[in-house]
């Protein structure tokens, strides 16, 4: 077909743009690290920042609030503050951006995490904190522990062992305005968009029991959990 091979819509700036490659050739993939005090920053954490933990109960999953789901009343962009009272979500925020910053391309979260069972889910959601403090979801992704080595075979987890887990959050294009911030939420459920992991390791679709999972995400220098952001240079 005629025209550029890539056509994308940049949210925030709200315009269509033609590009010649995907990901964009000028992309600067930049890690933003999770810190124990709730910061999300390009600085690598100190050696002693340790870990943060939460409990995931499949009988009380985090409800779906926006994103890619067929149910019209749940899909799209929603203010995530409705979930802020839940204790089973870890939240990390950047400082306010002082200049416009475009994020265009695939987004990945790399978590160093453990659970006390043989299978569980880890999920990450990237949102924009607007100037009026609304927290609007951009992209999210999930990894089921038993598929951490690929979907060709299932490998159950060892309780307490720390794994490097790579979550595909798919792709986005958004131009942050000065004063806006980014937030990354880490949890283990997003129901009904995604089936609950019952944390037992039973065959998929056949589980009849459930257990509460105790999850830990590691934040020290050696096991530096982070989100990889596709930053695009912007005109001054």
């Amino acid at each position: 077909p005629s025209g550029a091979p890539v056509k994308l819509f940049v949210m925030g700036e709200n315009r269509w743009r033609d590009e010649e490659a995907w990901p964009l050739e000028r992309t600067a993939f930049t890690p933003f690290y999770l810190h124990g005090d709730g910061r999300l920053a390009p600085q690598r954490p100190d050696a002693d920042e340790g870990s943060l933990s939460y409990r995931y109960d499949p009988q009380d999953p985090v409800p779906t609030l926006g994103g890619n789901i067929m149910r019209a009343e749940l899909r799209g962009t929603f203010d995530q503050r409705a979930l802020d009272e839940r204790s089973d979500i870890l939240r990390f925020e950047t400082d306010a951006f002082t200049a416009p910053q475009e994020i265009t391309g695939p987004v990945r979260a790399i978590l160093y995490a453990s659970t006390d069972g043989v299978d569980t889910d880890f999920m990450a959601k990237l949102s924009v904190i607007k100037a009026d403090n609304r927290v609007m979801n951009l992209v999210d992704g999930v990894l089921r522990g038993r598929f951490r080595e690929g979907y060709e075979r299932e490998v159950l987890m060892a309780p307490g062992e720390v794994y490097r887990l790579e979550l595909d959050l798919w792709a986005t294009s958004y131009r942050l305005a000065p004063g806006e911030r980014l937030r990354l939420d880490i949890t283990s459920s997003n129901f009904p968009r995604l089936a609950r992991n019952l944390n037992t390791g039973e065959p998929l679709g056949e589980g009849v029991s459930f257990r509460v999972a105790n999850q830990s995400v590691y934040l020290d220098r050696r096991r530096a959990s982070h989100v990889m952001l596709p930053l695009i240079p912007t005109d001054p």
Side-chain angles (χ1 to χ4, degrees):
S2 61
V6 178
K7 182 181 289 289
L8 57 88
F9 185 80
V10 186
M11 296 181 290
E13 194 173 21
N14 295 334
R15 71 181 182 94
W16 290 96
R17 193 172 73 213
D18 291 340
E19 294 286 351
E20 294 300 320
W22 184 263
L24 311 190
E25 292 182 352
R26 60 190 183 280
T27 305
F29 287 100
T30 305
F32 273 63
Y33 295 96
L34 285 57
H35 290 264
D37 58 2
R39 288 181 298 122
L40 184 64
Q43 294 77 29
R44 200 173 182 91
D46 295 330
D48 59 352
E49 290 204 36
S51 64
L52 293 174
S53 300
Y54 63 94
R55 297 173 74 252
Y56 159 50
D57 183 352
Q59 291 198 111
D60 182 26
V62 175
T64 297
L65 190 59
N68 184 11
I69 184 172
M70 293 298 294
R71 287 176 55 175
E73 73 275 16
L74 295 176
R75 69 173 175 244
T77 303
F78 283 78
D79 190 344
Q80 301 299 304
R81 290 179 297 177
L83 303 176
D84 280 359
E85 297 303 316
R86 297 189 64 97
S87 61
D88 53 357
I89 304 175
L90 303 179
R91 304 169 183 86
F92 304 87
E93 299 180 6
T94 66
D95 291 334
F97 286 80
T98 58
Q101 176 61 67
E102 181 181 324
I103 298 172
T104 294
V107 181
R108 293 179 297 124
I110 290 82
L111 303 181
Y112 291 86
S114 67
T115 185
D116 63 353
V118 296
D119 189 36
T120 195
D121 290 350
F122 284 95
M123 303 189 181
K125 180 187 294 180
L126 183 68
S127 301
V128 176
I129 304 177
K130 307 289 284 184
D132 59 5
N133 289 321
R134 287 178 299 144
V135 183
M136 310 305 290
N137 53 297
L138 277 178
V139 287
D140 60 86
V142 59
L143 181 64
R144 181 150 290 194
R146 69 176 71 188
F147 295 122
R148 67 192 180 279
E149 298 182 10
Y151 292 103
E152 294 77 18
R153 65 191 186 104
E154 301 180 18
V155 182
L156 294 179
M157 307 173 78
E161 183 170 338
V162 180
Y163 294 98
R164 181 187 185 278
L165 305 176
E166 186 166 327
L167 285 63
D168 182 1
L169 276 59
W170 291 34
T172 192
S173 182
Y174 186 90
R175 185 180 174 100
L176 290 153
E180 292 185 335
R181 292 170 284 157
L182 289 173
R183 183 170 113 176
L184 187 73
D185 292 356
I186 305 298
T187 187
S188 290
S189 51
N190 183 358
F191 185 79
R193 180 188 168 198
L194 299 170
R196 298 168 298 167
N197 194 319
L198 304 183
N199 302 324
T200 61
E202 293 175 277
L204 294 178
E206 300 178 13
V208 295
S209 59
F210 63 89
R211 64 180 301 276
V212 174
N214 294 289
Q215 323 284 56
S216 294
V217 177
Y218 295 81
L219 314 170
D220 56 67
R221 180 169 289 271
R222 182 172 61 89
R223 300 170 297 190
S225 297
H226 60 280
V227 59
M228 190 68 73
L229 297 179
L231 302 185
I232 307 299
T234 55
D235 297 330

